[in-house]
Amino acid sequence: MDFDLSEEQNMLQDTVRRFFETEAPTTRLLEIYDGDELLDRELWNRSAELGLAGLLVEEQYGGVGLELLDLAVVADAMGYTAAPGPLLGHALTTLALTLGGSEEQKTQWLPKLASGELIGSVAFAEQGDAWQPDQWTLTVSENRVSGTKKNVLFPSDADLFLVGIEGGRMALVERSAEGVSTQEWDGVDRTRRIGGLSLDRAPCELLTGDSSIAERVRDAALILLAADAYGGAHKSVELTVDYTSQRVQFGRTLSHFQGVKHQIADAAAEVEPARALVWYAAYAFDHRPEEAPRLAAIAKAHLTERYVDASRTMVMLHGGIGYTWEFHCQFWLKRAMFDRSYFGSPSVHRERAAVLAGW
Amino acid sequence: MNLDFTVDEQRFREEVRDWLQDNAPRDPQPLEGAEKRAYDVAWQRKQFDAGWAGINWPKAFGGCGMSTTQQLIWHEEYAKANAPDVGSCFVGLNHGGPTLIARGSEAHQAFHLPKILRGETIWCQGFSEPSSGSDLASLRTRGVLDGDHLVVNGQKIWTSYAHVADYQELLVRTDPDVKKHKGITWIICDMSLPGVEVRPIRTMSGERHFCEVFYDDVRIPLDNVVGEINGGWSVAMSTLSFERGTAFMSRQIALARKVEELIELARKTPKGAMGRMAIDDDEIARKLARLRANVAALQAMTYAAISRNERTGMPGPEGSMIKLSFADLSQDLQRIAAEILGPSMLEYEYGDTGWTHDYLRSYLASIGGGTSEIQKEIIADRVLGMPKGR
């Protein structure tokens, strides 16, 4: 038994942190917030060269063949660096294909997704906070699908959509196909742009299997969002320690004031123990699938809420500068808002966890 | 104690209600810049023309001379009518003007007060500096005496509406060799003077109403000094007690109104199973009930403070409790809104108003105008009489 990450996983985390700290530093994030560009394609290509696009894809299809825990470690590092890009939706698309794709579909799509040549994105959410597979309403007839989805990551840049269908099934739709239109929003978190997807008798290919596969994909999403939230919350605490150790008021750095110190200590004590929830949920996903749904729900609800709180403390203790557009606090704060809401609010998942526990 | 309004007060309420209903602007208030100024001053002018300008100002200075109870009624009806936030007129009406009334010379009063009331001039506040936020008294912007002028060099920050303002209440250090509170002067700075440069700062909610202001050999006539040279700290404190006192009333009533809006939102926002609304969620219902109780309690405390203020004439230190509690409750409210709205909060365009924008703005409640940490210090030191930690 070993309760800690492996050496390889720690190395992976360091590599990914360093990659995004170098390739997408906060000055770059501000450009993204200021600009109208949607996807930073060059950054995406470089991250794909690192293997991130195909991390979950089996080696026979050109991927790295790692497990969800490994991807969670990557998500943690990306949360830590507030890394921009479509990896979440992309990785979930590769996971769905791995779990529910026919041999033909896998051969057709996975190698190009694993190399990053194509970008995948999930289109699950429907009007009224309906993210869960049992809430999907789109219907397929004669291999064509109609309806609208929202909160789709980088809809105008994605090549392949994984669309949630009535009965918890999933279908692939190409963006270039007829009857497909996308809308971009600003979104709160501009490092992960979202928008709408409208389908009007768009050609689609159903994946095999029943709703249990969509639920696996959903659970993976929750775990990855929780991991991102841990990374971001941890970083928020670090940034707060750094700032309060430099900022001088009343002749001392803020970090000397008990009222300040205790707020940061509280934040750390809320965030750090929660990390193991992510690891455990990811491990369960890989090795104890029957436990995964409940653990994923708990991890997502808990971590994303901790992240919102930690980032709130961060802004508060930075004072006015933390509230500005130019300064970096907003990148983590808005990411926390995203993580909290995306794939459903904490209350939704706590309720699910209670039902799954038989309460 | 008598919790009923008098017949006169009731009649006053009806008069206010009718006027606001017919006259409050209905078009949306612009978020920033020249359009916002134009909107705000037009509304101020309209109030002035109808005799409603300066509700908290004495009649002798052109104000309405309302009793604090009447002001309370005004603010209540103002919120009910959904009349626009005072916006860029805030500093002139609630800081600059009242400070001149309390501490200005006759010349200051005669020149500035009518212009503020008529919506002809916009004021801004030059207090905070990059290195002097919570520790305001450590400010370093220099004012050096040169004949009958002060020559000012330095920088201010978080100055709301400086880019559209005509005048600024400016704190400068005129004596660096004495204890920090003793070497500060309060002076009226004409924003059009050579050497004043304004750079807007964008906030994380996307708008630009804060600014940095830079002073490069700005020559301000000594006639503009309010109070004594090196006596600015006590002038500033009288300004701040207005900020934390009566001026706060309208925001609190707006908060109570927002609570009711939030409850309405919970009634019509679907949540969970089909047909169920957010308010059917026990957890949300309880949070709303608690919030409503807390806001009601805060209002009751404010009303009590108002009556005390009527007798004593000055806002007391309970202003800090009110501000602290107000900040907490504003943020609680937005947290609950986030819970009710869920992922639809993400569908946001920068420049939108509405709940996501309000959520982001609520972060400011515990930072601007004295942080919550500073309010706690004041409560401990001045209200509870505990030893000073700083």
Side-chain angles (χ1 to χ4, degrees), chain B residues 244-303:
Chain B
R244 289 168 195 165
T246 42
F248 216 63
M249 207 189 272
S250 64
R251 301 204 162 165
Q252 211 184 97
I253 291 164
L255 174 67
R257 185 191 152 85
K258 203 83 193 161
V259 173
E260 299 310 309
E261 273 176 38
L262 183 64
I263 292 167
E264 248 342 277
L265 182 75
R267 278 189 219 286
K268 60 172 205 246
T269 306
K271 184 138 189 117
M274 287 302 280
R276 279 170 63 85
M277 297 293 152
I279 202 147
D280 299 321
D281 181 321
D282 286 347
E283 203 174 325
I284 286 176
R286 275 188 210 114
K287 282 182 183 170
L288 287 171
R290 187 180 303 150
L291 177 69
R292 201 194 229 171
N294 278 330
V295 170
L298 179 63
Q299 261 192 306
M301 176 178 162
T302 307
Y303 287 16

Side-chain angles (χ1 to χ4, degrees), chain A residues 105 123 126 136-149 161-174 197 199-209:
Chain A
Q105 286 167 330
E126 295 181 17
W136 296 337
T137 62
L138 270 54
T139 51
V140 173
S141 69
E142 295 161 4
N143 287 323
R144 284 173 183 269
V145 57
S146 296
T148 58
K149 293 283 187 175
F161 295 109
L162 178 70
V163 180
I165 305 293
E166 187 186 39
R169 300 203 60 190
M170 293 180 292
L172 297 172
V173 175
E174 289 180 75
L197 174 68
L199 303 170
D200 180 16
R201 292 192 42 77
C204 69
E205 281 179 52
L206 278 169
L207 296 189
T208 57

Side-chain angles (χ1 to χ4, degrees), chain A residues 150 188 247 249 263 316 334, chain B residues 130-131 204 347 350 373:
Chain A
K150 50 190 231 172
V188 172
R247 169 81 176 168
Q249 291 284 274
Q263 286 185 60
M316 187 56 226
K334 289 171 178 173
Chain B
S131 300
M204 69 174 187
E347 298 165 41
Y350 285 96
E373 285 78 8

Side-chain angles (χ1 to χ4, degrees), chain A residues 149-194:
Chain A
K149 293 283 187 175
K150 50 190 231 172
N151 295 324
V152 181
L153 278 162
F154 293 93
S156 305
D157 289 293
D159 303 288
L160 187 65
F161 295 109
L162 178 70
V163 180
I165 305 293
E166 187 186 39
R169 300 203 60 190
M170 293 180 292
L172 297 172
V173 175
E174 289 180 75
R175 182 168 51 84
S176 57
E178 54 172 322
V180 177
S181 59
T182 57
Q183 306 91 44
E184 293 289 341
W185 311 328
D186 260 358
V188 172
D189 173 10
R190 300 188 79 162
T191 60
R192 289 174 294 178
R193 294 292 286 263
I194 49 177

Side-chain angles (χ1 to χ4, degrees), chain A residues 285-340:
Chain A
F285 185 93
D286 295 326
H287 301 286
R288 299 177 184 174
E290 68 287 352
E291 283 184 43
R294 193 174 59 83
L295 293 168
I298 290 172
K300 149 81 182 177
H302 194 72
L303 267 299
T304 61
E305 234 170 49
R306 296 285 77 80
Y307 187 13
V308 168
D309 290 346
S311 62
R312 179 179 284 281
T313 301
M314 167 181 67
V315 169
M316 187 56 226
L317 293 180
H318 278 72
I321 192 79
Y323 182 71
T324 63
W325 184 269
E326 314 291 325
F327 201 67
H328 53 236
C329 287
Q330 67 150 339
F331 307 134
W332 282 275
L333 173 108
K334 289 171 178 173
R335 211 168 165 102
M337 289 172 73
F338 182 101
D339 287 349
R340 181 185 195 280

